[in-house]
Amino acid sequence: MALSLRLLLPLLAGLLCWAAAPVRAEGCPQPLRIGFSDAASPPGLLGSGPTFPEPPGWEVAAVREALKRLGCQAELLRLPNRRLSASLAQGGVDIGLLFGTTPERLRSFAFPLDAQSRPDLAWAPVFGHLALFGRSGEAADAGWDGQRLPVGLRVGVLTGSVQEAIARSRGWATEPIGVLDGGLAMLQARRFDLLLTTREVLTPEQRADLVEWSPGVAKLPFFAPASPPFAQRHPEWTRSFWRQLCQAVRRLEPDIRPADCGTVPATAWR
């Protein structure tokens, strides 16, 4: 019996050490390509075109911080919105910033999902205030309730965006905007009556020339979805990146991520 115990003790010790050892995280995928829009949306993304200025805006800063905490490097790219969407769906870009959810995007991109297979708001890194904006000097309609628009008003919406999907679901007459930063010029040129956009993409100077209609239209979650082939190959790393990105935004811009990551903000409505 004593001999048996002497033989078993080293084996038991080895098993205990194995059980207590941390599970090694998945290594950094390579190559790793993260895509951003080539249009400015300050203060999150500064400058326009294929290069990043310094400072580049808090979106890029948050991605860099997330990558640093994961010990990974990535190629950061700026692409036109339609090309970015196509590249993300086809695997040319592995992760894209920032996207609201639409039925088409849920079919084409990989988002963090909750237990009901819905986009998981607990890990959305960004919440934006979606609102209608009119021209300076033109008062908001007194009967505006956040849902129903006066007959005859046309709303400018970015083509293929969540804004467009919401406007159409409410039966609003819409006018397409082809590029992210083209809406203000089209509004001032009276191509449409109101611009539907998130408050956060407008600078204080731009908002000074507009009238924001209250109440707002929605508080929208925005994500950094992954290409489906990438998410299938690297599921653990993708989830780790989503967590780190959310936490980085929370540290850098707590008003944009108004609750600790892992919890759903109390004001997250749509």
Side-chain angles (χ1 to χ4, degrees), residues 11-266:
L11 177 61
L12 290 172
L15 288 173
L16 288 172
C17 289
W18 174 83
V23 177
R24 291 187 63 187
E26 180 184 351
C28 299
Q30 290 296 320
L32 177 58
R33 299 167 297 265
I34 299 179
F36 300 78
S37 172
D38 69 347
S41 55
L45 187 59
L46 305 180
S48 58
T51 60
F52 295 94
E54 286 296 340
W58 60 257
E59 288 182 31
V60 181
V63 168
R64 288 174 175 171
E65 182 176 325
L67 290 170
K68 182 178 180 180
R69 287 177 176 269
L70 291 169
C72 296
Q73 295 183 342
E75 181 183 7
L76 306 188
L77 306 169
R78 298 191 73 168
L79 300 170
N81 289 334
R82 291 183 183 178
R83 184 179 166 193
L84 176 58
S85 295
S87 295
L88 185 60
Q90 297 165 7
V93 167
D94 301 309
I95 293 172
L97 280 84
L98 287 161
F99 287 85
T101 58
T102 65
E104 181 181 359
R105 289 175 180 173
L106 289 171
R107 292 189 297 267
S108 302
F109 308 153
F111 289 85
L113 302 177
D114 62 17
Q116 288 74 44
S117 296
R118 299 173 302 191
D120 194 349
L121 303 185
W123 294 104
V126 170
F127 285 86
H129 295 80
L130 186 64
L132 288 169
F133 292 87
R135 290 175 287 269
S136 177
E138 299 179 3
D141 186 85
W144 168 244
D145 60 359
Q147 293 283 336
R148 293 183 297 274
L149 279 177
V151 176
L153 292 186
R154 296 187 63 80
V155 177
V157 291
L158 182 65
T159 301
S161 67
V162 66
Q163 294 96 310
E164 181 181 48
I166 289 176
R168 289 185 174 178
S169 72
R170 298 187 181 183
W172 298 348
T174 61
E175 184 73 24
I177 300 171
V179 293
L180 179 63
D181 51 0
L184 288 175
M186 293 175 69
L187 175 67
Q188 299 299 348
R190 300 186 178 273
R191 294 278 298 277
F192 43 76
D193 303 291
L194 297 166
L195 173 64
L196 180 62
T197 190
T198 50
R199 184 190 306 154
E200 289 74 14
V201 305
L202 300 172
T203 66
E205 294 76 18
Q206 289 171 332
R207 290 201 302 270
D209 291 332
L210 301 171
V211 174
E212 181 175 348
W213 284 31
S214 183
V217 174
K219 191 168 179 65
L220 292 179
F222 289 89
F223 296 86
S227 166
F230 179 85
Q232 290 169 6
R233 291 194 305 269
H234 307 286
E236 179 186 342
W237 191 92
T238 301
R239 289 190 294 269
S240 296
F241 176 80
W242 284 334
R243 289 193 294 269
Q244 291 295 340
L245 177 64
C246 181
Q247 291 164 1
V249 174
R250 174 68 175 155
R251 286 188 291 269
L252 294 170
E253 295 289 335
D255 290 340
I256 298 293
R257 170 68 215 188
D260 288 340
C261 296
T263 61
V264 179

